[in-house]
């Protein structure tokens, strides 16, 4: 009797174990198929947008994309899931502790629904798809690695499991958060403009950086800080790309003039505000300034020279201010700055004499002292961004809901039978009488508005004006709607070197600090 009872108890326990295993293991096979999966063949792939070097930032939101690699193949069903890592369990070594994999959520407008399985989404219909997206919210700190994976069915009972390109393992980025720029946002949804207060805080000294400080300690300093708020189409510099002439001058000499001209040439298009900050010429320099950003110009780039040095500088390129998760302006951000090498001078010490690098090398991490391990290098300065004000403004979508605008769009569509490219228009060009017959130029345009910071109701800054080289009667570089093309016109090197096409001057004018701050 005891044996029979024990056998019944064992069967009951096994049934309970199978039910439990079924509940937490969950059937993630698409459409509940019972057939065996196909081997990976690279037709389909999973990717996590915004992940760099297979490392995630804790609590950040990422887009998971499942797609056909050839852009042609389709699938009808899928499951996207997150699998956690484990850690050793001292109390019960046979049962590792499950860590947090974060959360897989349905992406807006995607044909998907939450799965009965934990941390999974599945299809909401079985129409053929070439791609699908889901949202992954990364876990908090100290959860090690997470595997994002997918299974998908191309037909009923024809499916791929999560091997190979359908699985991606990412691990926590354990760097200091203030060493990492925010995730770039290619779709800023902030309706209002915003103003930020920028603080540059120099934290470079012999005591904090004994192996990365000039022997001539009294000459150690930073140059003025110069930069811009801009769109994603503008760059002051790019790591692994060559420095512009303006950045070369700044990094080697501390002279910001040419770089300011480069930025000013994009003012009103890809640049919203020219930023310049001046302070005590010291390594502990602190300077503040303010600038404005818009829905189209929601990034900021800044540079300052390390002096003395061959061509070393501090900078940030494409710092994102429109939060990629919320779509709104970040209330405050802090970023540490480390030395960069402009790649234009081969000197190896702070006081090295000029030694032009030929050909120039791409911008890279500055090799100031190779004996100091990378993880022990301390920041030379920090940038602090504080949101101080927003300016209410209608979004494009709200503006397009205006019935008058809709009527105008409809009218244009109805009359779309007219030629799409109007004939070129004749453009009247005034020639500068002071320019040479060999190098004719247009007359100077009006000075652009004064750009700078409003302090004590007085704006002090810079303004620029432009003129254009004339080739066969065409102003090279000047865009005129429906005007003649200058694509095949080339300005001689002699004319470019001997006749300036832009000027920069200091300006000062009254301003209303209450409205501008």
């Amino acid at each position: 009797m005891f044996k029979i009872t024990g056998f019944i108890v064992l069967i009951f326990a096994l049934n309970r174990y199978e039910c439990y295993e079924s509940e937490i293991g969950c059937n993630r096979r698409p459409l509940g198929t019972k057939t065996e999966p196909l081997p990976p063949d690279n037709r389909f792939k999973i990717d996590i947008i915004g992940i760099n070097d297979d490392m995630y930032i804790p609590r950040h939101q990422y887009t998971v994309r499942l797609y056909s690699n050839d852009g042609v193949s389709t699938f009808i069903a899928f499951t996207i899931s997150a699998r956690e890592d484990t850690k050793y369990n001292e109390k019960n070594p046979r049962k590792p502790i499950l860590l947090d994999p974060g959360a897989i959520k349905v992406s807006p407008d995607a044909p998907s629904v939450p799965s009965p399985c934990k941390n999974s989404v599945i299809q909401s219909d079985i129409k053929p798809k070439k791609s699908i997206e889901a949202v992954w919210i990364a876990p908090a700190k100290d959860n090690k690695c997470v595997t994002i994976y997918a299974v998908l069915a191309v037909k009923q009972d024809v499916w791929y499991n999560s091997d190979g390109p359908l699985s991606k393992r990412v691990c926590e980025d354990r760097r200091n958060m203030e060493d990492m720029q925010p995730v770039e946002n290619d779709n800023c949804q902030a309706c209002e403009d915003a103003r930020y207060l920028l603080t540059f805080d120099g934290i470079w000294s012999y005591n904090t950086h004994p192996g990365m400080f000039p022997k001539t300690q009294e000459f150690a300093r930073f140059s003025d800080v110069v930069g811009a708020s801009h769109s994603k189409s503008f760059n002051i510099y790019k790591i692994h790309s060559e420095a512009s002439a303006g950045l070369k001058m700044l990094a080697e000499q501390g002279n910001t003039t040419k770089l300011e001209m480069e930025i000013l040439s994009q003012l009103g298009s890809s640049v919203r505000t020219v930023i310049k900050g001046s302070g005590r010429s010291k390594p502990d320099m602190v300077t503040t300034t303010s600038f404005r950003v818009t829905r189209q110009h929601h990034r900021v780039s800044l540079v300052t020279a390390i002096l003395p040095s061959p061509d070393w500088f501090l900078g940030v390129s494409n710092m994102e201010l429109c939060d990629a998760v919320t779509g709104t302006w970040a209330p405050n951000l802090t970023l540490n700055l480390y030395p960069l090498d402009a790649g234009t001078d081969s000197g190896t010490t702070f006081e090295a004499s000029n030694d032009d690098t030929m050909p120039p090398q791409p911008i890279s991490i500055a090799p100031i002292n190779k004996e100091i391990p990378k993880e022990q290098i301390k920041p030379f300065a920090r940038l602090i961004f504080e949101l101080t004000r927003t300016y209410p403004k209608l979004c494009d979508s709200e503006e397009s809901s205006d019935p008058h605008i809709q009527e105008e769009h409809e009218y244009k569509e109805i009359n779309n039978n007219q030629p799409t490219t109007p004939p070129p228009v004749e453009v009247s060009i005034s020639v500068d009488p002071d320019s040479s017959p060999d190098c004719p130029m247009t007359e100077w345009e009006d000075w652009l508005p004064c750009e700078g910071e409003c302090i004590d109701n007085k704006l002090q800054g810079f303004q620029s004006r432009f003129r254009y080289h004339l080739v066969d009667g065409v102003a090279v570089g000047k865009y005129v709607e429906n005007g003649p093309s200058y694509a095949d016109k080339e300005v001689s090197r002699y004319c470019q070197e001997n006749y300036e096409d832009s000027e920069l001057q200091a300006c000062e004018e009254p301003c209303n600090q209450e409205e501008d701050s």
Side-chain angles (χ1 to χ4, degrees):
M1 180 68 181
F2 173 78
K3 289 183 179 180
I4 295 175
T5 304
F7 181 75
I8 293 173
V9 170
L10 177 62
I11 292 294
F12 178 73
L14 286 174
N15 285 339
R16 286 192 62 187
Y17 174 79
E18 289 174 359
C19 291
Y20 175 75
E21 192 71 4
S22 173
E23 180 182 349
I24 61 170
C26 202
N27 182 8
R28 287 181 169 83
R29 295 183 170 213
L31 304 176
T33 181
K34 298 184 182 299
T35 60
E36 292 301 310
L38 296 171
D41 61 4
N42 289 315
R43 286 178 64 195
F44 302 96
K45 183 179 180 180
I46 196 168
D47 203 2
I48 308 173
I49 299 172
I51 289 287
N52 295 314
D53 300 323
D54 293 333
M55 295 189 295
Y56 69 84
I57 300 174
R59 297 191 182 279
H60 268 54
Q61 178 174 303
Y62 296 95
T63 297
V64 178
R65 185 168 179 253
L66 174 62
Y67 61 98
S68 63
N69 226 1
D70 57 15
V72 176
S73 302
T74 60
F75 54 95
I76 62 172
F78 64 89
T79 303
I80 298 176
S81 303
R83 183 186 302 121
E84 67 280 339
D85 217 337
T86 62
K87 70 176 182 180
Y88 181 73
N89 188 345
E90 294 182 354
K91 294 182 179 179
N92 186 357
R94 294 185 178 183
K95 189 176 181 181
I97 297 174
L98 299 179
L99 299 177
D100 182 10
I104 295 287
K105 304 286 187 180
V106 171
S107 179
D109 303 323
S112 57
V113 294
S115 167
C117 302
K118 186 179 180 181
N119 270 324
S120 302
V121 298
I122 60 174
Q123 72 288 335
S124 59
D125 60 55
I126 55 173
K127 296 177 182 177
K129 309 166 183 62
K130 294 180 182 177
S131 66
I132 192 73
E133 291 184 350
V135 172
W136 175 50
I137 302 174
K141 293 178 61 177
D142 300 324
N143 278 284
K144 297 171 68 175
C145 300
V146 178
T147 301
I148 306 296
Y149 65 96
V151 297
L152 61 84
V154 295
K155 296 180 181 178
Q156 185 78 33
D157 295 333
V158 180
W159 66 290
Y160 292 87
N161 64 15
S162 59
D163 291 337
L166 291 177
S167 178
K168 192 170 182 70
R169 180 177 170 84
V170 291
C171 297
E172 179 185 345
D173 192 333
R174 302 187 69 85
R175 291 177 296 172
N176 185 336
M177 290 295 292
E178 293 183 355
D179 288 345
M180 296 183 287
Q181 291 184 211
V183 176
E184 291 187 359
N185 182 2
D186 289 331
N187 186 28
C188 180
Q189 296 299 311
C191 291
E192 68 277 5
D193 291 359
R195 181 167 291 278
Y196 278 88
L197 176 67
L198 165 69
T199 301
F200 174 91
D201 183 13
I203 49 177
W204 179 41
S205 71
Y206 177 78
N207 292 330
T208 57
H209 300 74
M212 304 181 79
F213 206 77
K215 293 179 180 179
T216 52
Q217 299 181 27
E218 65 274 17
F219 295 126
R221 65 194 189 281
F222 295 116
S223 71
D224 289 346
V225 179
V226 64
S229 61
H230 56 85
S231 67
K232 64 180 181 181
S233 62
F234 177 82
N235 288 287
I236 284 185
Y237 72 89
K238 284 185 178 180
I239 294 290
H240 308 312
S241 296
E242 287 188 17
S244 67
L247 182 59
K248 178 180 186 296
M249 177 181 283
L250 174 125
E252 293 181 359
Q253 306 173 21
N255 188 331
T256 66
T257 303
K258 187 171 287 189
L259 183 57
E260 289 179 49
M261 295 292 294
E262 291 176 356
I263 298 171
L264 283 166
S265 69
Q266 301 298 317
L267 190 65
S269 55
S270 57
V271 168
R272 170 57 179 83
T273 303
V274 179
I275 302 170
K276 188 169 183 180
S278 302
R280 288 193 313 133
S281 190
K282 296 289 184 180
D284 60 352
M285 177 181 82
V286 177
T287 182
T288 60
T289 186
S290 64
F291 61 92
R292 191 157 168 166
V293 288
T294 70
R295 190 179 186 182
Q296 293 76 31
H297 306 87
H298 50 89
R299 296 180 184 174
V300 63
S301 296
L302 299 153
V303 287
T304 181
I306 299 172
L307 300 170
S309 77
D311 60 346
W312 300 334
F313 70 100
L314 302 180
V316 60
S317 179
N318 279 287
M319 176 84 171
E320 182 63 73
L321 297 179
C322 185
D323 192 284
V325 176
T326 65
T328 59
W329 299 115
N332 50 71
L333 293 167
T334 300
L335 182 70
N336 291 329
L337 300 182
Y338 296 84
L340 297 172
D341 188 321
T344 61
D345 190 300
S346 299
T348 58
T349 64
F350 286 98
E351 295 87 355
S353 58
N354 290 340
D355 183 10
D356 287 347
T357 303
M358 295 302 292
Q361 297 299 301
I363 297 168
S364 61
I365 303 299
I368 297 178
N369 189 336
K370 296 181 180 180
E371 295 181 359
I372 300 178
K374 181 180 177 181
E375 60 273 12
Q376 294 182 17
I377 295 177
K378 297 179 180 179
F380 277 41
R382 67 171 64 94
L383 295 175
I384 302 169
F385 299 88
E386 297 178 76
L387 179 63
T388 58
R389 183 179 176 183
T390 57
Y391 302 82
K393 191 174 182 181
L394 285 176
C395 281
D396 292 342
S397 58
E398 293 174 348
E399 291 174 349
S400 63
S401 64
D402 187 303
H404 298 292
I405 295 177
Q406 288 181 347
E407 289 174 8
E408 183 181 349
H409 289 173
E410 290 168 3
Y411 177 82
K412 288 181 178 179
E413 291 173 0
I414 293 171
N415 289 274
N416 204 27
N417 294 325
Q418 299 177 0
T420 55
T421 305
V425 298
E426 293 186 5
V427 181
S428 176
I429 297 176
S430 298
V431 180
D432 186 346
D434 295 330
S435 62
S436 166
D438 296 329
C439 298
M441 303 196 73
T442 66
E443 290 187 330
W444 287 102
E445 295 180 340
D446 294 336
W447 289 99
L448 292 174
C450 188
E451 279 284 341
E453 184 179 3
C454 184
I455 300 177
D456 296 331
N457 294 323
K458 181 186 295 184
L459 188 151
Q460 291 183 317
F462 295 87
Q463 61 183 163
S464 59
R465 66 173 182 172
F466 301 90
R467 62 178 179 175
Y468 301 87
H469 292 278
L470 289 169
V471 178
D472 298 332
V474 176
V476 178
K478 182 178 179 63
Y479 173 74
V480 178
E481 188 174 4
N482 302 327
S485 171
Y486 57 82
D488 58 344
K489 308 299 181 183
E490 185 174 349
V491 180
S492 71
R493 184 173 180 179
Y494 172 82
C495 293
Q496 291 180 358
E497 292 178 350
N498 289 277
Y499 293 89
E500 296 289 344
D501 58 3
S502 60
E503 287 185 342
L504 180 71
Q505 70 175 14
C507 57
E508 181 178 308
E509 61 184 46
C511 59
N512 190 326
Q513 189 169 3
E514 293 184 358
E515 292 182 359
D516 200 48
S517 61

